[in-house]
Amino acid sequence: MSRDSSSDKPWAGRFTEPTDAFVEAFTASVGFDKRLYKHDIDGSLAHARMLTHVGVLTENECEAIVAGLEEVRADIERGAFDWSVALEDVHMNIEAKLTDKIGIAGKKLHTGRSRNDQVATDIRLYLRDEIDLIAVEIKRLQSGLLDLAEREADAILPGFTHLQVAQPVVFGHHMMAWFEMLKRDYSRLMDCRKRVNVMPLGAAALAGTSYPIDREFTAKLLGFDGVCENSLDAVSDRDFAIEFCAFAATLLMHMSRFSEELVIWASAQFDFIELPDRFCTGSSIMPQKKNPDVPELVRGKTGRVFGSLMSLLTLMKGQPLAYNKDNQEDKEPLFDSIDTVRGSLRVFADMVPAIEIKHENMERAALSGFSTATDLADYLVRNGVAFRDAHEVVGKAVRLGVETSKDLAEMSFEELSQFSPVIKEDVFEVLTLQGSVAARDHIGGTAPSQVRAAVARARAAL
Ligand code: ARG
């Protein structure tokens, strides 16, 4: 089936000339909204069953519509559906094909609804399914982080502030920080799902319909938690898509930070981790190169997800009630965000458990930046020195270390004890990296035992 003439359009009745050819292409959305076909058909099946339930359609008409729509679905899925730009969008394409197949009953399907409530319903159904797939991928990435955190609960690396060596932490603790961010992203997604899963159908064009529809009946068939309570709002607002894009932007912001760390850690200067070859690429000119493309790309893709959020916010802000054609522009940013989130999560969930840790390099780095200076200050405080005085004492010891190229733990007792009379031989116990991390033994601290407990709690909750 191919329709090139505007007189085939379902709304052609009041028009006196065909649509300008370029306008037809400019205003069509079928090129991108055909990805809603499955949910459009599901929505139509439920609508037809509801119309039959309330006596607007006969059982025979309903059976014909159901069989016809299933045939259309099969045609689309085996690539035998001829999408027509003249029919604008996924909705009119499917309806026209249905009518070709079953005749007059096909023309009755649109009774008591409009493309305005239809499209709002389709997007919500589609987004709900995508949210459920994304939720699974977040959990898969989280579970990879837990495995890595447990495996490396004792591996010490420098923790940074200002990207300067600050205090030693264990790698597992660092991974659990990413786990926590994803936990909040997951809960944002679930929160968004509640507001996505409300049904616009029944709002019709904008004011509702004069047919005796049963919206609860349709909502139940489609698995919606409820119905939109105002028809004008139902067909016009896309805040649920904006909310999803805000979730996506926050998730990708987190993944971008994670990516940035992986890129830094994989560099020759840090050399903390090895990313498996299958997640990297080489250079066409420099034979020695192994580039961390996956985290770099995820970091780069964050930009488009931020852009989509801004697109949708801007799309919405100037619109008077109710539906406006502007809303057709909601789809591409939303779809792009969904694709980007799914792809980024998938590749990270595959890659993260395969990250290899270079223990000696991380430990050497932790030893080289006076990372136990705070521990020395705490030692002085425990022995009666006021914290501000302790801070100054340690500062002097660090200055000596810089001049003599020695870490605090590498200094002799004579060198250290000249700075304070309370420094005794036992000072070396707190100056080791292991002593430093083990001392932070409270919920949220970096002690390996606390990290293992955090992993166990997280596993139970996942
Ligand atoms: N393709 C349109 C969209 O994506 C469907 C709704 C069209 N409604 C209308 N009154 N022209 O928003």
Side-chain angles (χ1 to χ4, degrees):
M1 176 196 69
S2 163
R3 291 163 193 266
D4 300 316
S5 149
S6 292
S7 58
D8 283 336
K9 293 186 198 303
W11 43 255
R14 63 99 67 220
F15 286 75
T16 56
E17 61 173 357
T19 317
D20 175 89
F22 182 72
V23 169
E24 184 167 278
F26 186 75
T27 54
S29 55
V30 66
F32 49 84
D33 68 14
K34 62 184 173 202
R35 81 152 84 181
L36 297 173
Y37 82 87
K38 184 180 169 300
H39 302 91
D40 191 70
I41 290 172
D42 289 344
S44 290
L45 288 171
H47 181 65
R49 290 187 171 116
M50 182 278 291
L51 289 179
T52 310
H53 171 71
V54 300
V56 171
L57 292 180
T58 66
E59 290 289 347
N60 283 347
E61 286 165 338
C62 184
E63 271 169 37
I65 289 171
V66 170
L69 283 172
E70 289 304 351
E71 253 186 60
V72 171
R73 192 201 301 268
D75 288 349
I76 294 171
E77 282 171 2
R78 67 186 157 85
F81 192 98
D82 191 6
W83 296 101
S84 157
V85 171
L87 287 171
E88 285 183 39
D89 53 29
V90 62
H91 324 290
M92 294 211 297
N93 266 270
I94 289 177
E95 193 189 319
K97 183 74 180 241
L98 175 71
T99 302
D100 282 352
K101 284 183 187 287
I102 67 166
I104 187 85
K107 293 189 181 178
K108 295 189 177 184
L109 169 64
H110 212 50
T111 310
R113 85 175 174 185
S114 149
R115 275 184 297 155
N116 296 351
D117 59 344
Q118 188 179 358
V119 68
T121 302
D122 291 3
I123 304 168
R124 286 171 185 260
L125 287 173
Y126 174 82
L127 182 55
R128 185 182 70 189
D129 278 356
E130 293 294 326
I131 285 174
D132 291 344
L133 292 171
I134 289 167
V136 171
E137 285 295 290
I138 295 180
K139 295 228 163 189
R140 197 160 74 85
L141 173 54
Q142 284 185 297
S143 126
L145 283 168
L146 290 183
D147 292 346
L148 190 55
E150 189 161 53
R151 202 174 86 212
E152 303 295 350
D154 295 297
I156 293 177
L157 77 161
F160 298 90
T161 61
H162 314 272
L163 203 55
Q164 310 284 317
V165 170
Q167 291 172 354
V169 293
V170 293
F171 194 82
H173 193 54
H174 203 114
M175 291 304 105
M176 289 306 284
W178 294 117
F179 179 92
E180 286 294 314
M181 294 176 224
L182 289 172
K183 193 164 90 185
R184 293 192 297 276
D185 290 329
Y186 185 89
S187 104
R188 266 184 279 277
L189 180 65
M190 290 301 112
D191 211 44
C192 166
R193 191 188 191 284
K194 290 182 212 150
R195 284 175 287 276
V196 167
N197 202 28
V198 185
M199 189 187 77
L201 213 56
L206 75 163
T209 174
S210 57
Y211 295 94
I213 58 171
D214 183 345
R215 297 183 69 203
E216 298 291 346
F217 184 90
T218 321
K220 205 163 167 225
L221 287 180
L222 291 171
F224 280 112
D225 295 329
V227 301
C228 299
E229 300 218 5
N230 179 287
S231 62
L232 297 166
D233 173 48
V235 292
S236 74
D237 206 349
R238 296 292 183 266
D239 60 353
F240 64 91
I242 292 172
E243 203 175 332
F244 175 83
C245 287
F247 146 80
T250 310
L251 171 73
L252 263 287
M253 175 275 294
H254 285 148
M255 292 183 74
S256 180
R257 297 185 63 194
F258 193 3
S259 297
E260 172 68 0
E261 295 202 324
L262 295 179
V263 170
I264 292 176
W265 290 347
S267 71
Q269 288 66 34
F270 272 73
D271 205 16
F272 283 3
I273 59 166
E274 185 77 30
L275 293 173
D277 283 3
R278 63 184 184 282
F279 294 100
C280 298
T281 64
S283 156
S284 53
I285 177 165
M286 296 167 284
Q288 84 283 13
K289 295 282 294 252
K290 175 176 158 184
N291 298 325
D293 287 34
V294 165
E296 286 176 275
L297 256 184
V298 169
R299 190 178 60 192
K301 283 179 186 293
T302 304
R304 59 201 291 164
V305 174
F306 288 6
S308 294
L309 172 61
M310 210 36 72
S311 295
L312 291 192
L313 283 168
T314 311
L315 171 71
M316 208 70 244
K317 76 172 274 290
Q319 288 191 50
L321 289 172
Y323 177 87
N324 301 278
K325 187 75 165 181
D326 311 41
N327 274 344
Q328 181 164 291
E329 286 288 307
D330 62 355
K331 290 170 201 63
E332 288 163 294
L334 178 64
F335 294 164
D336 192 71
S337 292
I338 290 170
D339 294 345
T340 306
V341 163
R342 284 187 59 184
S344 303
L345 283 171
R346 179 184 164 164
V347 75
F348 258 53
D350 289 343
M351 180 183 71
V352 160
I355 293 173
E356 278 172 42
I357 309 312
K358 299 189 171 176
H359 297 93
E360 298 87 69
N361 296 351
M362 293 194 314
E363 200 161 325
R364 196 177 319 119
L367 280 171
S368 68
F370 304 100
S371 65
T372 55
T374 313
D375 297 272
L376 178 56
D378 292 343
Y379 172 91
L380 296 171
V381 169
R382 273 199 303 279
N383 288 287
V385 182
F387 184 79
R388 281 292 156 222
D389 296 333
H391 191 285
E392 183 169 353
V393 165
V394 178
K396 286 179 179 151
V398 166
R399 198 196 307 156
L400 175 69
V402 171
E403 282 160 13
T404 57
S405 302
K406 280 184 195 164
D407 188 67
L408 297 174
E410 293 167 331
M411 290 182 190
S412 66
F413 176 68
E414 288 66 36
E415 283 173 311
L416 275 177
S417 57
Q418 66 181 296
F419 297 110
S420 168
V422 306
I423 294 180
K424 300 280 167 327
E425 291 279 359
D426 66 352
V427 71
F428 291 102
E429 283 162 33
V430 307
L431 294 183
T432 64
L433 299 177
Q434 285 72 15
S436 171
V437 293
R440 284 152 175 82
D441 190 13
H442 53 78
I443 189 159
T446 193
S449 58
Q450 288 293 341
V451 171
R452 289 198 177 85
V455 169
R457 280 195 305 274
R459 242 198 210 115
L462 203 62

